[in-house]
Amino acid sequence: MRAKIKVWIENDKGEILFGEGKTKLLEMIEELGSISKAAQECGIDYKKAWNHVKLIEEKIKDPIIVRKKGGKDGGGSTLTPKGKELIEAYKNMREEMLRLCDEKYSEHFIIEGKPIVLPSEEKS
């Protein structure tokens, strides 16, 4: 048994600005070199992927991807240093919060080395 949490960043209006999904999208853009391929890998359409990128760039007031137009060698996209920094900062914060979650779970739900059995887990 363990506690689980989800971590995201939202604005004062409660709108999600950054989290697990957008992190994965940016990682896929960097890995695959294409917003279109990254969107497909993340199970979202191309327009939604672009909207995510635009929203992030608008909120942090910095570009997070470099777009290369198509042509003889084809187009593509890569992350800017700011885009890579954003992913790293989120992942570091998330990992720290998950460690804290595990620590707090142990503090509150482990007694004398044994987990507390919650009613839904008791055998009939």
Side-chain angles (χ1 to χ4, degrees):
M1 233 184 343
R2 72 182 291 204
K4 298 288 250 174
I5 60 169
K6 287 190 176 191
V7 179
W8 64 88
I9 299 167
E10 59 182 46
N11 63 16
D12 294 338
K13 297 176 185 175
E15 300 165 325
I16 297 174
L17 303 177
F18 202 73
E20 205 61 38
K22 290 181 178 92
T23 298
K24 182 179 179 189
L25 176 64
L26 295 185
E27 287 176 324
M28 290 295 99
I29 290 170
E30 183 67 7
E31 182 180 321
L32 301 172
S34 161
I35 293 174
S36 178
K37 289 177 185 172
Q40 186 175 10
E41 182 70 24
C42 292
I44 60 175
D45 66 37
Y46 178 77
K47 184 176 180 180
K48 185 171 186 173
W50 261 114
N51 286 340
H52 285 328
V53 169
K54 288 178 195 174
L55 175 71
I56 295 165
E57 289 182 335
E58 178 185 301
K59 296 302 179 187
I60 68 170
K61 299 183 184 352
D62 235 334
I64 58 170
I65 62 170
V66 176
R67 301 149 184 94
K68 180 180 167 193
K69 290 193 177 191
K72 183 177 87 170
D73 298 322
S77 298
T78 58
L79 295 183
T80 64
K82 183 59 111 181
K84 292 176 186 177
E85 182 183 330
L86 186 60
I87 289 172
E88 193 65 26
Y90 173 78
K91 288 172 87 172
N92 288 338
M93 180 185 76
R94 183 178 177 275
E95 285 305 312
E96 188 173 330
M97 294 181 87
L98 289 171
R99 279 192 303 275
L100 183 59
C101 182
D102 284 341
E103 181 183 308
K104 294 300 176 184
Y105 170 77
S106 293
E107 271 180 40
H108 298 286
F109 285 90
I110 306 290
I111 298 175
E112 296 176 2
K114 295 181 181 178
I116 296 173
V117 177
L118 301 175
S120 64
E121 295 177 336
E122 290 177 354
K123 294 180 182 177
S124 318

